[in-house]
Amino acid sequence: MADVVFLDDDYEAEIAVEKGEAFGVDVPYPVDGVYVLTGASFDPALFRMERYLEYEDGGEPRVRYLFTGLADGAGDVNVKMRPAAGGPEDVYRTVRVLVGGSSGILF
């Protein structure tokens, strides 16, 4: 089972994984009708997105992204949103991911 980071009350989190290991980023859908999710941005040299899933948990809409660590290094997975009425994209939640080993700085 992959480690999953749930970002409900926190807007940022950190996780360490090994190369080849899967990890998930799970967030509540933004306030319905006000914001829409526009996707996730990440370094494709460090991570590969395997799956994207929209689901409900107790009636609450949620989104889960599943990634695999590809190479040693550190980078961010940024879940993005924009106002439903239009406008610029902004970061909704961020997970700092360290792939392979320990840097001694963040973990």
Side-chain angles (χ1 to χ4, degrees):
M1 177 85 181
D3 284 336
V4 178
V5 177
F6 290 89
L7 291 168
D8 289 280
D9 297 326
D10 297 322
Y11 289 92
E12 295 182 10
E14 297 174 341
I15 186 173
V17 299
E18 295 300 320
K19 189 164 46 171
E21 187 178 1
F23 65 95
V25 176
D26 193 294
V27 299
Y29 204 85
V31 177
D32 193 30
V34 178
Y35 289 95
V36 294
L37 290 181
T38 56
S41 64
F42 54 93
D43 183 345
L46 291 176
F47 319 117
R48 176 179 61 234
M49 188 167 74
E50 305 291 350
R51 193 167 282 157
Y52 166 84
L53 173 68
E54 291 186 21
Y55 70 101
E56 285 196 15
D57 182 20
E60 176 188 27
R62 300 190 65 85
V63 175
R64 180 174 294 178
Y65 296 89
L66 183 63
F67 296 91
T68 298
L70 298 177
D72 291 344
D76 292 338
V77 173
N78 293 306
V79 177
K80 303 244 183 140
M81 68 178 185
R82 70 167 173 76
E89 197 174 53
D90 199 6
V91 174
Y92 176 52
R93 301 284 200 272
T94 297
V95 176
R96 179 85 175 153
V97 184
L98 176 66
V99 180
S102 166
S103 71
I105 297 172
L106 297 175
F107 301 93

Coordinates of all heavy atoms in Angstrom, one line a residue, residues 39-43 47 65 67 76-80 89 91:
G39 N -5.5 20.6 -11.8 CA -4.5 19.6 -12.0 C -3.4 19.7 -11.0 O -3.5 20.5 -10.0
A40 N -2.3 19.0 -11.3 CA -1.2 19.0 -10.4 C 0.1 19.3 -11.2 O 0.2 18.8 -12.4 CB -1.0 17.6 -9.7
S41 N 1.0 20.1 -10.7 CA 2.2 20.3 -11.3 C 3.4 19.7 -10.5 O 3.3 19.6 -9.3 CB 2.5 21.8 -11.5 OG 2.6 22.5 -10.3
F42 N 4.4 19.2 -11.2 CA 5.5 18.4 -10.6 C 6.6 18.3 -11.6 O 6.4 18.5 -12.8 CB 5.0 17.1 -10.1 CG 4.3 16.2 -11.2 CD1 5.1 15.3 -11.9 CD2 3.0 16.4 -11.4 CE1 4.5 14.5 -12.9 CE2 2.4 15.6 -12.4 CZ 3.1 14.7 -13.2
D43 N 7.7 17.9 -11.1 CA 8.9 17.7 -12.0 C 8.8 16.2 -12.6 O 9.0 15.3 -11.8 CB 10.2 17.8 -11.2 CG 11.4 17.7 -12.0 OD1 11.4 17.2 -13.2 OD2 12.5 18.1 -11.5
F47 N 9.0 12.5 -10.6 CA 7.8 11.8 -10.3 C 7.0 11.5 -11.6 O 7.1 12.2 -12.6 CB 6.8 12.6 -9.5 CG 7.5 13.4 -8.4 CD1 7.5 14.8 -8.3 CD2 8.2 12.7 -7.3 CE1 8.0 15.5 -7.3 CE2 8.8 13.4 -6.3 CZ 8.7 14.8 -6.3
Y65 N -4.3 12.0 -6.1 CA -3.3 11.8 -7.2 C -2.4 10.7 -6.7 O -2.0 10.7 -5.5 CB -2.5 13.0 -7.4 CG -3.3 14.2 -7.9 CD1 -3.9 15.1 -7.0 CD2 -3.5 14.4 -9.3 CE1 -4.7 16.2 -7.5 CE2 -4.2 15.5 -9.7 CZ -4.8 16.4 -8.9 OH -5.5 17.4 -9.3
F67 N 1.4 8.9 -7.4 CA 2.6 9.2 -8.1 C 3.6 8.0 -7.8 O 3.4 7.3 -6.8 CB 3.3 10.5 -7.7 CG 2.5 11.7 -8.0 CD1 1.6 12.2 -7.1 CD2 2.7 12.4 -9.2 CE1 0.9 13.4 -7.4 CE2 2.0 13.5 -9.5 CZ 1.1 14.0 -8.6
D76 N 8.5 19.4 -5.4 CA 7.1 19.7 -4.9 C 6.1 19.1 -5.9 O 6.3 19.2 -7.1 CB 6.8 21.2 -4.8 CG 7.7 21.8 -3.7 OD1 8.1 21.1 -2.8 OD2 7.8 23.1 -3.7
V77 N 5.0 18.6 -5.3 CA 3.8 18.3 -6.0 C 2.8 19.4 -5.6 O 2.4 19.5 -4.5 CB 3.2 16.9 -5.7 CG1 1.9 16.7 -6.4 CG2 4.2 15.8 -6.2
N78 N 2.4 20.2 -6.6 CA 1.5 21.3 -6.3 C 0.1 21.0 -7.0 O 0.0 20.9 -8.2 CB 2.0 22.6 -6.9 CG 3.2 23.1 -6.2 OD1 3.2 23.3 -5.0 ND2 4.3 23.4 -7.0
V79 N -0.9 20.9 -6.1 CA -2.3 20.8 -6.6 C -2.8 22.2 -6.9 O -2.7 23.0 -6.0 CB -3.2 20.0 -5.6 CG1 -4.6 19.9 -6.1 CG2 -2.6 18.6 -5.3
K80 N -3.3 22.4 -8.1 CA -3.7 23.8 -8.5 C -5.2 23.9 -8.6 O -5.9 23.0 -8.9 CB -3.0 24.1 -9.8 CG -1.5 23.9 -9.8 CD -0.9 25.3 -10.1 CE 0.6 25.1 -10.1 NZ 1.2 26.0 -11.2
E89 N -4.6 30.8 -12.2 CA -4.4 29.6 -11.5 C -3.6 29.9 -10.2 O -2.7 30.7 -10.2 CB -3.7 28.6 -12.4 CG -3.7 27.2 -12.0 CD -3.1 26.3 -13.0 OE1 -2.0 26.6 -13.4 OE2 -3.8 25.3 -13.4
V91 N -1.9 27.9 -6.4 CA -1.6 26.6 -5.7 C -2.6 26.4 -4.6 O -2.8 27.3 -3.8 CB -0.1 26.6 -5.2 CG1 0.1 25.4 -4.3 CG2 0.9 26.7 -6.3

